[in-house]
């Protein structure tokens, strides 16, 4: 039902900033059977330490305002309302709203409250919104997606590595390493994207909502991802997605 999300879609300025952050080595070699077994075990411990998949799967609505900041300048600023059960979302940026069916990447687009009916313009907005959702929700909930189809878990150099089978997501060549504390709670991650971009990130401002652990900020020394107005609910909100639900 869920689609793996991945790399931050950035402006050239942010790409330069993040690319200069770290010089760590990140192996993408195939895991041994033992490393994969250990990865499954460590990933399960991590998810349980954050509240567990049962708690996460009860969420019917996850809403957040996503901001990416580099050198103190906001380079991404948009909002998402996501219904994981129905696999739909609402994307808001400036005067544009896109209502997405995430499974088939289709949707409806409104600019200043008026629906866009031109197919080319609509499809371009839907494509942009889907890419944004893919990236942004992965930044928020990636630790809960380590058992998604196509995700490969392994313990490499004492860390939980997540890589992906070919064809999974938009950039299956991305590789992530989670940093865990003694209670198996993630304190950050480092990653190498298939485009060569590397980043070493610390998780900050932990919150627990409906029994599920989140972080409102994820940062390195020169850039920051912010999840403002983060809200979750175990009750669906049909009104948010009315154009998709015919209400």
């Amino acid at each position: 039902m869920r689609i793996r999300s991945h790399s931050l879609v950035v402006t050239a300025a942010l790409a330069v900033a993040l690319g200069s952050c770290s010089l760590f080595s990140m192996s993408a070699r195939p895991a041994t059977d033992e490393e994969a077994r250990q990865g499954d075990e460590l990933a399960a411990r991590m998810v349980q330490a954050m509240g567990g998949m049962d708690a996460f799967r009860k969420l019917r609505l996850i809403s957040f305002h996503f901001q990416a900041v580099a050198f103190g300048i906001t380079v991404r600023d948009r909002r998402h309302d996501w219904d994981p059960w129905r696999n739909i979302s609402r994307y808001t940026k400036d005067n544009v709203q896109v209502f997405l069916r995430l499974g088939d990447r289709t949707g409806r687009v409104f600019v200043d409250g008026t629906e866009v009916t031109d197919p080319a313009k609509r499809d371009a907005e839907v494509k942009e919104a889907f890419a944004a959702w893919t990236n942004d929700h992965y930044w928020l909930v990636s630790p809960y997606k380590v058992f998604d189809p196509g995700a490969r878990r392994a313990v490499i150099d004492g860390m939980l590595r997540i890589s992906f089978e070919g064809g999974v997501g938009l950039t299956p060549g991305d590789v992530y390493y989670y940093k865990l504390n003694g209670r198996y709670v993630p304190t950050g991650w480092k990653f190498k994207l298939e485009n060569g971009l590397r980043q070493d990130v610390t998780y900050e401002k932990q919150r627990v909502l409906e029994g599920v652990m989140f972080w409102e900020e994820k940062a390195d020394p020169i850039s920051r991802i912010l999840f403002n107005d983060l809200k979750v609910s175990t009750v669906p909100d049909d009104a948010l997605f009315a154009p998709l639900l015919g209400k």
Side-chain angles (χ1 to χ4, degrees), residues 114-126:
T114 299
E115 184 163 14
V116 174
T117 56
D118 177 85
K121 293 180 180 178
R122 180 196 62 217
D123 292 351
E125 293 287 357
V126 166

Side-chain angles (χ1 to χ4, degrees), residues 19-81:
S20 65
C21 292
S22 305
L23 297 175
F24 49 75
S25 175
M26 300 186 71
S27 172
R29 65 168 175 79
T32 66
D33 290 345
E34 178 59 18
E35 288 170 336
R37 185 196 67 76
Q38 292 177 358
D40 289 347
E41 180 178 301
L42 188 55
R45 286 178 179 270
M46 178 181 72
V47 172
Q48 191 60 36
M50 296 186 304
M53 284 305 303
D54 287 346
F56 182 75
R57 287 173 178 149
K58 289 179 181 178
L59 300 181
R60 299 295 306 271
L61 179 66
I62 302 175
S63 296
F64 60 97
H65 184 180
F66 177 94
Q67 288 182 297
V69 179
F71 299 113
I73 300 171
T74 299
V75 295
R76 287 289 183 267
D77 190 339
R78 52 216 185 190
R79 178 180 176 83
H80 301 273
D81 301 286

Side-chain angles (χ1 to χ4, degrees), residues 127-241:
K127 182 178 180 179
E128 178 180 326
F130 180 81
W133 173 85
T134 298
N135 173 81
D136 299 356
H137 96 289
Y138 195 69
W139 271 94
L140 179 65
V141 302
S142 58
Y144 295 98
K145 298 177 68 64
V146 294
F147 287 100
D148 276 11
R152 297 183 294 202
R153 299 155 296 280
V155 171
I156 306 292
D157 297 329
M159 300 178 70
L160 174 61
R161 186 188 75 182
I162 304 297
S163 57
F164 304 92
E165 297 175 1
V168 175
L170 301 180
T171 52
D174 297 348
V175 180
Y176 299 84
Y177 281 74
Y178 285 92
K179 297 176 283 187
L180 309 181
N181 65 19
R183 294 175 286 112
Y184 302 104
V185 173
T187 60
W189 65 359
K190 59 182 182 178
F191 55 73
K192 179 181 178 181
L193 307 184
E194 67 177 27
N195 64 7
L197 185 67
R198 300 178 182 218
Q199 193 173 1
D200 194 342
V201 175
T202 299
Y203 291 180
E204 302 177 1
K205 295 189 178 180
Q206 182 187 115
R207 291 184 68 189
V208 176
L209 303 171
E210 298 290 349
V212 178
M213 190 178 294
F214 298 92
W215 289 263
E216 292 184 309
E217 294 191 17
K218 298 183 177 180
D220 65 24
I222 60 177
S223 62
R224 204 165 271 274
I225 301 296
L226 309 177
F227 300 97
N228 298 313
D229 195 28
L230 175 62
K231 299 177 182 177
V232 306
S233 177
T234 57
V235 178
D237 188 339
D238 290 354
L240 284 175
F241 310 102

